């Protein structure tokens, strides 16, 4: 069996730590998420890069903020691991999980059909509404009934413009599909990027391949609203510092600042060894 890449291995180790915190077995994870037992086995052992949604669901179950694990996931994906859409060769498909899910679904449908029949004997007028409500109600104990499709996730950013000021692009869901305004490689070998979210109307910077003590600052000036004195171009500086080894192995993001089309976004990298380096880019109008 081919060993996982170092990037995927770090992600798998973080996911195993979260699984231990939940106290759930693989069967338990499969029951509480949209992913099968055998899928979780592959994700946790680093054999397959998990989907982003799987990482988010495990963070939710463990009560862990998503930022660190999603950063590790992004590194693993960007290093060429790719999403594992196909079943690995020689591995049996998770039939037992599919059969368990279908069986639970049929059992749920049977129970609800029985309830609808009883209600029908009470009143032919209300049976339609009550039976429909019964079909939509959760099972006893507050757990949702089995379903062959995962529940839809909440989409869209949680803030926009000035409301996002100083907040995390990951937690505010502004980092889903951002534009990369510019990339830069420092003399120390660190990689930097300026990012912009059209949905959120914000910009931020990120760095990786860094050392403990390295610092990154960014700001945005100018823009469409700035001439009226109400825009984001007030020179607010957002910064972040590499504090430990986990940070050094991850993408680390500055907080966001509001940025209009036409804004000039600037980042400055101050390595622990000294020798500041800066670069900038303009948000397209």
């Amino acid at each position: 069996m081919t060993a996982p890449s170092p990037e995927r291995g770090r992600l798998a180790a973080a996911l195993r730590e979260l699984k231990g915190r939940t106290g759930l077995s693989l069967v338990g994870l499969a029951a509480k998420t949209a992913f099968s037992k055998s899928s979780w086995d592959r994700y946790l052992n680093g054999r397959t890069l998990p989907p982003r949604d799987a990482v988010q669901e495990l963070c939710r179950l463990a009560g862990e903020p998503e930022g660190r694990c999603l950063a590790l996931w992004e590194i693993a994906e960007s290093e060429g691991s790719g999403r594992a859409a196909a079943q690995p060769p020689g591995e049996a498909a998770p039939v037992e999980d599919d059969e368990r899910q279908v069986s639970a679904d049929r059992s749920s449908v049977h129970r609800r059909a029985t309830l609808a029949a009883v209600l029908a004997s009470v009143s032919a007028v209300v049976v339609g509404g009550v039976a429909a409500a019964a079909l939509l109600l959760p099972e006893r104990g507050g757990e949702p009934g089995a379903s062959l499709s995962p529940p839809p996730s909440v989409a869209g950013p949680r803030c926009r413009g000035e409301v996002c000021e100083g907040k995390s692009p990951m937690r505010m869901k502004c980092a889903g599909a951002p534009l990369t305004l510019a990339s830069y490689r420092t003399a120390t070998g660190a990689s930097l990027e300026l990012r912009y979210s059209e949905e959120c109307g914000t910009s931020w910077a990120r760095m990786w391949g860094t050392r403990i003590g390295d610092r990154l600052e960014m700001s945005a000036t100018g823009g469409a609203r700035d001439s009226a004195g109400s825009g984001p171009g007030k020179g607010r500086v957002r910064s972040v510092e590499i504090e430990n080894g986990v940070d050094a192995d991850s993408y680390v993001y500055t907080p966001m600042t509001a940025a209009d089309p036409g804004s000039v976004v600037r980042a400055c990298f101050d390595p622990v060894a000294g020798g500041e380096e800066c670069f900038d880019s303009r948000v397209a109008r």
Side-chain angles (χ1 to χ4, degrees):
M1 181 183 298
T2 304
S5 66
E7 295 79 13
R8 199 190 303 168
R10 283 194 290 268
L11 173 61
L15 296 182
R16 288 195 298 271
E17 178 186 343
L18 293 185
K19 174 185 174 294
R21 199 181 304 174
T22 67
L24 294 172
S25 64
L26 292 177
V27 173
L29 283 178
K32 289 183 175 292
T33 67
F35 304 93
S36 71
K37 181 183 73 172
S38 58
S39 293
W40 277 115
D41 181 62
R42 295 194 300 273
Y43 303 157
L44 295 171
N45 285 290
R47 297 201 305 273
T48 299
L49 182 70
R52 183 186 178 95
D53 289 350
V55 176
Q56 290 176 305
E57 288 197 41
L58 185 53
C59 287
R60 174 181 57 80
L61 290 172
E64 172 79 5
E66 298 175 354
R68 183 174 74 94
C69 284
L70 287 181
L72 291 173
W73 177 87
E74 193 168 349
I75 290 175
E77 186 183 50
S78 69
E79 290 297 330
S81 298
R83 291 177 183 260
Q87 192 78 8
E91 182 171 347
V95 176
E96 71 280 4
D97 296 285
D98 293 340
E99 289 176 349
R100 172 179 56 79
Q101 191 80 339
V102 171
S103 175
D105 191 71
R106 287 173 178 169
S107 176
S108 176
V109 171
H110 176 73
R111 289 194 300 271
R112 291 171 180 171
T114 301
L115 176 59
V118 172
L119 292 172
S121 66
V122 177
S123 172
V125 176
V126 299
V127 65
V130 176
L135 288 171
L136 295 175
L137 285 174
E139 298 291 327
R140 290 184 179 180
E143 291 293 330
S147 171
L148 293 177
S149 301
S153 58
V154 178
R158 295 176 176 173
C159 64
R160 178 167 177 79
E162 293 288 328
V163 179
C164 298
E165 194 68 49
K167 296 179 180 178
S168 164
M170 303 295 289
R171 293 181 182 176
M172 293 297 105
K173 298 188 180 297
C174 293
L179 301 175
T180 298
L181 300 178
S183 301
Y184 186 87
R185 184 85 167 183
T186 72
T188 63
S191 296
L192 315 176
E193 285 182 344
L194 288 171
R195 310 277 269 179
Y196 174 71
S197 169
E198 292 181 332
E199 284 188 306
C200 294
T202 57
S203 191
W204 63 93
R206 68 175 182 175
M207 58 179 169
W208 68 98
T210 52
R211 302 172 186 173
I212 297 174
D214 288 351
R215 182 179 176 85
L216 181 63
E217 295 183 346
M218 66 82 57
S219 61
T221 57
R225 289 179 292 163
D226 209 28
S227 58
S230 61
K234 302 301 179 184
R236 295 189 184 103
V237 176
R238 301 299 176 189
S239 63
V240 67
E241 184 172 327
I242 303 300
E243 297 180 351
N244 51 49
V246 173
D247 286 350
D249 285 338
S250 307
Y251 281 115
V252 175
Y253 302 76
T254 68
M256 295 184 287
T257 191
D260 280 335
S263 297
V264 174
V265 183
R266 178 178 175 84
C268 288
F269 177 73
D270 186 12
V272 66
E276 184 181 67
E277 299 178 58
C278 300
F279 69 112
D280 58 46
S281 185
R282 184 181 296 274
V283 179
R285 293 184 182 275

